[in-house]
Amino acid sequence: MNILVVVVDALRVDRVGSYGGRSVTPTIDELAADGTIFENAYSTTNATDPALTSLQTGQYPRTHGVLNHGSHVSEMEKKRVEDTSTLPSVLNKRGFATGAFGRPLGRWHRRGFDRYPELTSAHWRLKSLEKAVSDILYSVHPSIGDVISGVYNSLTDRTGSDDENEIVEAFDSFLEDADRFYSLVHLMDTHTPYDVDENLVERYLERFEYENTPLTEIAERFPTGSITYNSLQPGGVVNQNNDQWRGHEVGIGTALARAQYDAAATEADRKIDSLLSVLRDRGMLEETLVLIVADHGESLGEHDIYFEHHGLYEATVRVPLIVRPPFDAVDRVSELVNITDIAPTVLDVLDDSKGSPTEFDADGRSLLPLLEGSDSDDTWDSREAILLEEANTQRFRGIRTQNWKYLRAVGDPACRYCERPHGAAEQLYDLTTDPNETENLVEDRSEQAAKLRAQLEELLSRYTHSENDPNASDNRRVEYDDEEEVLDRLESLGYR
């Protein structure tokens, strides 16, 4: 059996048709019809470094050690994660060909892969160059940036087809000598900056209704010079290469950005279709376990968070998870599940986890009983709650139960990017009556808040490194040859 895991970065649940969302992902929907939809799947956090590490280790960030993202990851975090087993490493030792494709995060994410994307690929070099030149031009004067980017856009292909071809061709080449494989494909389409087919954007502007406010007007809600303010200005990561829309009836506003996001979801879906076609043409699809998931979601304006993933709200931590195993499985699962469950599931389906509990010590659990539809309490105990934690733009911890969400700030609740809070230091939401988390009930439902506060403390104590962590006195320095390039690339995506 083979394994294909496709991570669509920042893909929201409500943009996947099989979840009742917009019909912009036909391939994912078709795969879902032939597999299992996990209706209540959650990430561990809202940033890629810790989330993807949770997926590959089966552990919460507090356990595997990486809470921060990009340049904010500390030496101690690197030491801890280097001592943690990863799924590709385990499978590689057992004879699987292991390949990663798409977004290269490098550093510890590279561990265990026979094949990994080159950081110096032409596509990524071009993206970094585009961002650097755009920053310079728009810093001189926005009108200069508009003129130059207009000429550039008219001379270049903005469909993302080169990126798709590069990923699919590399994946196809990888399969030539692979008897059994584990492959991770990380697609960046739905992460800003949106590099999408303008014709598709136009089609969605006509097809869907979008609330529309100029991006520059939204920017004025934030302190001048803040990261969010800059990202919404011409040349910013949300507002790049948009000059050709200036004369359009919708202008350059939230309607355009949301239509671009929807178009990006479709383009990611097309890449998935191409990947599945490669497997189908090679006669390997029916013997491959396929998982489609997001590392986190994306806020498109909720809680005054625009085209970013700040906060532990549903828009950013609830993720699509669709599993199509090479055997009959149930259609839908409503249980609370987590991306930490993916690695244990893979090992269980392969029947490779038995007898080696110390080799892969996961916080998550195998979803195989749920896929098979087992009703036995001996095979799956329903989760009472999922632990949530963020440390990139603000510091919050939280707990999500079947009906409630409780969030608590660690120190100052202000967002580093927006330079203001997105909510109170303590928040409580009844998700059955308030799924959009608009009414904070922490004072009105104090008993419920106290109950969840205690549950949160219990989870924090359960999933944490030991106080006697041997790394605490370890003076070695973890160095990665690719770290500087990775951090430069993250900066081009808007991370500071």
Side-chain angles (χ1 to χ4, degrees), residues 371-418:
L371 290 168
E372 294 176 333
S374 174
D375 295 325
S376 172
D377 291 338
D378 295 333
T379 56
W380 180 266
D381 293 328
S382 294
R383 270 195 180 95
E384 290 187 13
I386 286 175
L387 175 65
L388 304 167
E389 190 162 10
E390 64 173 326
N392 184 40
T393 63
Q394 55 189 29
R395 194 76 175 89
F396 268 82
R397 294 166 178 160
I399 186 172
R400 207 290 192 191
T401 69
Q402 196 70 39
N403 300 318
W404 292 89
K405 169 83 67 66
Y406 172 77
L407 305 175
R408 187 180 69 197
V410 180
D412 185 358
C415 172
R416 179 170 59 87
Y417 277 31
C418 301

Side-chain angles (χ1 to χ4, degrees), residues 31 101 193 226 357 380 394:
L31 195 73
F101 306 91
S226 65
W380 180 266
Q394 55 189 29

